[in-house]
């Protein structure tokens, strides 16, 4: 439970406005595979799907906490979409990878060169250690601004710019966690357990 720094009635009014703005264009988000499953002060529970896959897939969930909003930025955690349990870093279905530069035209259709280049010019927006709960490392998110590495980038410098709104957060999660999902990667393992009778074949 976080400490109360802002009158809850004030934060709740701002929270309600964020949810109401979302509801106005909710159908557009649903077509993109985003569902607001629950909005109960101070949290919003979103589920992110990939409708462009065949069959469509549920990719991950996110809990966005608006406690002390907007003196604090919202907190964002990726969660299992069915249990709402927080993912550990090692279990994340997506690290939310962002390209730091556009792929040069000279790479052309050389797939191996493109993969190597992308690995060298990409950044995971989810940060953490294998057995820790990771956090979304972008301005406008509470965990980013409260991290010791970002003490020079106060949330108050971003407040009111559009960063830290519900729209901003879910668009970032969709853009880097879902939009780039191109296909399924399936593996089939066959295991036969039990007694295998010895056949009398000469």
């Amino acid at each position: 439970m976080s400490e109360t720094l802002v009158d809850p009635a004030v934060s709740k009014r701002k929270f309600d406005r964020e949810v109401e703005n979302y509801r106005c264009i909710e159908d557009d988000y649903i077509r993109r595979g985003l569902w607001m499953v629950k909005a109960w002060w101070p949290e919003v529970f979103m589920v992110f799907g990939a409708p462009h896959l065949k069959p469509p897939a549920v990719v991950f969930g996110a809990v966005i906490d608006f406690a002390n909003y907007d003196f604090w930025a919202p907190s964002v955690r990726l969660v299992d979409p069915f249990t709402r349990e927080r993912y550990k870093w090692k279990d994340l279905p997506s690290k939310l990878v962002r390209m730091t530069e556009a792929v040069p035209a000279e790479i052309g259709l050389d797939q191996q060169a493109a993969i190597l280049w992308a690995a060298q010019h990409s950044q995971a927006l989810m940060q953490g250690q294998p057995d820790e709960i990771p956090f979304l490392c972008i301005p406008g998110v509470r965990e980013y601004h409260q991290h010791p590495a970002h003490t020079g980038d106060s949330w108050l410098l971003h407040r009111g710019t559009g960063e830290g709104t519900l729209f901003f957060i879910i668009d970032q999660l969709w853009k880097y966690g879902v939009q780039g999902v191109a296909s399924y990667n399936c593996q089939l393992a066959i295991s036969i357990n039990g007694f295998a009778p010895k056949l009398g074949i000469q």
Side-chain angles (χ1 to χ4, degrees):
M1 188 72 177
S2 58
E3 56 184 324
T4 301
L5 301 176
V6 178
D7 181 348
V10 173
S11 286
K12 186 177 185 303
R13 279 198 299 271
K14 295 180 179 180
F15 170 85
D16 289 342
R17 187 166 60 239
E18 293 286 328
V19 172
E20 184 180 350
N21 289 340
Y22 171 89
R23 295 294 189 197
C24 290
I25 56 171
E26 185 171 25
D27 288 345
D28 292 333
Y29 277 108
I30 291 173
R31 280 190 287 272
R32 288 167 58 188
L34 285 70
W35 300 282
M36 182 182 285
V37 179
K38 227 174 169 184
W40 190 261
W41 161 254
E43 292 183 345
V44 169
F45 174 41
M46 299 287 305
V47 169
F48 294 77
H52 54 280
L53 296 183
K54 302 300 178 192
V58 174
V59 183
F60 58 82
V63 173
I64 306 167
D65 180 1
F66 285 85
N68 290 314
Y69 187 68
D70 62 347
F71 180 69
W72 282 355
S75 169
V76 180
R77 296 294 190 185
L78 295 195
V79 298
D80 182 291
F82 302 100
T83 66
R84 290 187 59 172
E85 290 184 20
R86 295 178 173 184
Y87 287 117
K88 291 185 177 179
W89 168 264
K90 63 184 180 182
D91 300 320
L92 280 173
S94 171
K95 304 294 192 291
L96 276 65
V97 176
R98 172 174 64 186
M99 299 303 300
T100 56
E101 295 181 36
V103 179
E106 58 267 24
I107 288 182
L109 298 177
D110 186 336
Q111 187 176 11
Q112 281 191 320
I115 291 172
L116 179 60
W117 190 94
Q120 295 170 341
H121 297 84
S122 61
Q123 173 190 21
L125 298 183
M126 296 300 295
Q127 296 290 310
Q129 299 298 320
D131 290 314
E132 292 180 354
I133 302 296
F135 69 96
L136 180 57
C137 189
I138 58 171
V141 171
R142 186 184 310 166
E143 287 78 14
Y144 168 90
H145 293 290
Q146 292 183 347
H147 194 279
H150 303 133
T151 53
D153 194 10
S154 167
W155 157 242
L156 298 180
L157 299 174
H158 298 262
R159 184 183 177 197
T161 65
E163 294 176 344
T165 63
L166 181 60
F167 284 149
F168 171 80
I169 290 169
I170 63 178
D171 280 343
Q172 298 303 301
L173 293 174
W174 176 81
K175 181 177 181 180
Y176 298 112
V178 178
Q179 186 181 29
V181 176
S183 63
Y184 287 101
N185 181 13
C186 298
Q187 295 180 351
L188 178 64
I190 299 175
S191 176
I192 300 175
N193 298 313
F195 175 75
K198 187 173 181 180
L199 300 178
I201 299 176
Q202 299 294 324

